């Protein structure tokens, strides 16, 4: 048995953007249960129009945008909030030079871009996503992995979300730490300030709200691996699909 990935609303975002009472008022007409589903999103797009046309701008912009195709996942809401002054990306474990980088320091590493289709193992996809960020291998080279280094564990600020890559996977040219999506800084719901992007693997390998990379000899199973999903999540070649 495999636990099911479901989308969850973010109570904190909902509350702070438009005020919880307003939000609850807006969705009271039965819309709220539709917001996070798929067929539901299409129904939502049609059903909500007459309502949203009558809403003030602040409320309208806080409604989900069904056209993007993304579903926002967080296993343990509320989503982490990025605080530039205190945020660091730590690289530790079997490395000669453990590091702790500010976002500015991370951005000072060579920039790389990548356009790829995004696939969640549950069956939804987003075509042509433009990512910009740093190659994991460039960051790793700066930290100088030791001889026994085999596995990288990526830890999210959203406890307990973690996932792993082998050294060979993480050093592929398209394995990124992305700080921009579609030409803009990564938004909070997509994992600000930095998320892992593995274009040839299912989305669950892409840890959002990344804050630590630990190099080790052996793998601890990731969040979804503990729930039955494959460690090697190559699109089309791993379980949970179809
Ligand atoms: N921290 C964290 N990262 C995560 C997840 C999550 O719940 N928490 N979900 C994963 C899954 S299963 C997918 S498909 C993608 C979804 O990305 P999105 O929320 O930006 O659409 O994020 C991945 N990274
Ligand atoms: Mo997913």
């Amino acid at each position: 048995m495999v636990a099911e990935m479901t989308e969850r609303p973010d109570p904190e975002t909902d509350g702070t953007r438009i005020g919880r009472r307003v939000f609850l008022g807006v969705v009271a007409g039965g819309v709220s249960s539709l917001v996070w589903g798929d067929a539901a999103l299409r129904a939502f797009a049609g059903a909500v129009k007459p309502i949203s046309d009558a809403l003030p701008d602040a409320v309208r912009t806080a409604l989900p945008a069904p056209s993007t195709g993304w579903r926002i996942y967080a296993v343990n809401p509320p989503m982490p909030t990025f605080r530039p002054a205190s945020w660091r990306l730590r690289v530790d474990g079997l490395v000669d030079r453990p590091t702790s980088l500010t976002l500015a320091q991370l951005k000072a590493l060579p920039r790389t871009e990548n356009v790829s289709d995004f696939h969640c193992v549950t069956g939804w996809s987003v075509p042509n996503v433009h990512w910009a960020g740093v190659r994991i291998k460039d960051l790793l080279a700066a930290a100088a992995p030791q001889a026994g280094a085999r596995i990288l564990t990526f830890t999210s600020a959203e406890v307990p979300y973690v996932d792993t890559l082998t050294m060979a996977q993480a050093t592929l040219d398209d394995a990124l730490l992305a700080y921009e999506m579609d030409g803009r800084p990564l938004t909070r719901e997509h994992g600000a300030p930095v998320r892992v992007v593995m274009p040839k693997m299912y989305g669950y390998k892409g840890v959002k709200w990344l804050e630590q990379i630990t190099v080790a000899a052996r793998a601890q199973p990731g969040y979804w691996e503990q729930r039955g999903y494959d460690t090697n999540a190559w699109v089309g070649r791993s379980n949970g699909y179809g």
Side-chain angles (χ1 to χ4, degrees):
M1 266 302 278
V2 167
E4 224 189 300
M5 294 180 193
T6 53
E7 306 86 46
R8 299 180 190 212
D10 174 22
E12 193 172 297
T13 306
D14 295 344
T16 50
R17 277 207 204 141
I18 52 176
R20 190 126 188 97
R21 293 213 7 234
V22 179
F23 183 76
L24 291 175
V26 170
V27 299
V31 178
S32 82
S33 58
L34 299 177
V35 171
W36 310 99
D38 182 53
L41 273 180
R42 267 172 267 125
F44 176 74
V48 82
K49 196 147 196 312
I51 306 172
S52 71
D53 280 353
L55 296 174
D57 279 352
V59 175
R60 194 180 6 243
T61 57
L63 293 171
S67 58
T68 69
W70 288 101
R71 298 188 207 174
I72 304 305
Y73 285 139
V75 295
N76 188 19
M79 304 182 198
T81 302
F82 169 48
R83 295 198 170 76
S86 56
W87 184 86
R88 296 289 182 280
L89 177 62
R90 301 194 303 281
V91 184
D92 59 13
L94 297 181
V95 293
D96 282 341
R97 288 191 294 273
T99 12
S100 173
L101 300 178
T102 64
L103 185 57
Q105 289 169 329
L106 184 71
K107 286 185 170 176
L109 292 170
R111 176 189 168 94
T112 181
E113 297 183 12
N114 169 292
V115 180
S116 53
D117 297 345
F118 185 93
H119 303 285
C120 174
V121 70
T122 59
W124 58 269
S125 299
V126 181
N128 276 314
V129 187
H130 292 237
W131 301 104
V134 171
R135 283 194 181 89
I136 297 174
K137 77 169 165 195
D138 288 342
L139 178 60
L140 210 54
Q146 297 170 0
R150 296 278 178 277
I151 300 290
L152 280 69
T153 298
F154 299 85
T155 303
S156 176
E158 185 202 25
V159 178
Y161 204 97
V162 295
D163 213 321
T164 60
L165 292 172
T166 66
M167 195 65 89
Q169 293 163 355
T171 53
L172 291 172
D173 273 345
D174 61 358
L176 303 193
L177 305 180
Y179 48 70
E180 285 177 23
M181 189 182 108
D182 293 333
R184 296 181 174 176
L186 203 61
T187 59
R188 182 185 182 204
E189 56 265 37
H190 287 299
V194 175
R195 74 186 286 166
V196 176
V197 174
M198 280 299 282
K200 296 186 186 66
M201 289 193 180
Y202 287 117
Y204 64 91
K205 303 303 286 189
V207 175
K208 305 196 291 182
W209 308 293
L210 181 68
E211 64 174 19
Q212 188 178 8
I213 302 175
T214 302
V215 181
R218 304 205 299 152
Q220 302 291 320
Y223 181 88
W224 283 112
E225 286 82 350
Q226 290 167 36
R227 289 156 180 80
Y229 286 88
D230 281 345
T231 303
N232 297 313
W234 302 111
V235 172
R237 284 194 274 146
S238 54
N239 68 7
Y241 195 67

